[in-house]
Amino acid sequence: MGTWDASVFGNDDAADYLYELDNADTFAKIVPVLEAALDFVLDALDEIEAPAGAVGIAAAALVAAWEEPSLLGSKTTDVLLPWPRTNDPVPERLRTKASQVLDRMQDVRGNELAELWEESGEFPEFSAEVSHWRSRLGD
């Protein structure tokens, strides 16, 4: 599964996603990269594959940490410094989509990533991590 732990960036797919943001150094570049990852999860009609789910959760966490980058932890911010690379506020539509992604990723049905965590016996850890980021976004 390419996973080290249940943290948002504790897997290969989410870690690789951070590098997609390497050249995103303006608001106009950052927002589409985040929105594409969120939309991919939200637009999935069938099962959300584990890699897409991991990237969607990562994008949602980046939105949640937009105004408080220290929430991401030093390993993540070392890759992204500075985050969010803009003084513009996070667009409300991204906050809404991020919340919806995190809500969807909590449901095991149609969610390969959650299914894998359930099979491993560590779903509570995964669920707690997703809930942590969801709580940062409010309603």
Side-chain angles (χ1 to χ4, degrees):
M1 186 158 95
T3 301
W4 313 290
D5 59 52
S7 68
V8 169
F9 297 100
N11 63 77
D12 291 339
D13 298 307
D16 290 346
Y17 177 68
L18 291 178
Y19 290 101
E20 284 185 40
L21 290 160
D22 247 4
N23 295 320
D25 56 1
T26 65
F27 185 79
K29 291 179 183 176
I30 293 168
V31 170
V33 173
L34 293 172
E35 195 157 29
L38 297 170
D39 285 344
F40 195 83
V41 170
L42 294 175
D43 293 343
L45 298 176
D46 296 325
E47 182 167 90
I48 301 165
E49 303 240 349
V55 169
I57 292 170
L62 292 171
V63 170
W66 189 281
E67 294 162 356
E68 197 175 342
S70 62
L71 293 171
L72 295 170
S74 62
K75 288 185 218 174
T76 305
T77 54
D78 287 350
V79 174
L80 287 175
L81 285 175
W83 179 251
R85 301 178 181 164
T86 178
N87 292 324
D88 295 302
V90 65
E92 192 57 38
R93 75 178 185 280
L94 287 187
R95 292 181 63 81
T96 299
K97 289 180 180 189
S99 295
Q100 292 169 343
V101 164
L102 294 172
D103 288 343
R104 183 154 186 206
M105 294 307 296
Q106 286 279 33
D107 190 350
V108 177
R109 294 170 300 179
N111 177 353
E112 182 184 36
L113 185 62
E115 290 170 6
L116 291 169
W117 281 108
E118 188 173 64
E119 289 170 10
S120 75
E122 296 180 36
F123 183 79
E125 291 85 349
F126 168 78
S127 181
E129 180 71 4
V130 174
S131 293
H132 163 75
W133 291 105
R134 180 62 179 88
S135 72
R136 303 301 303 179
L137 291 166
D139 6 294

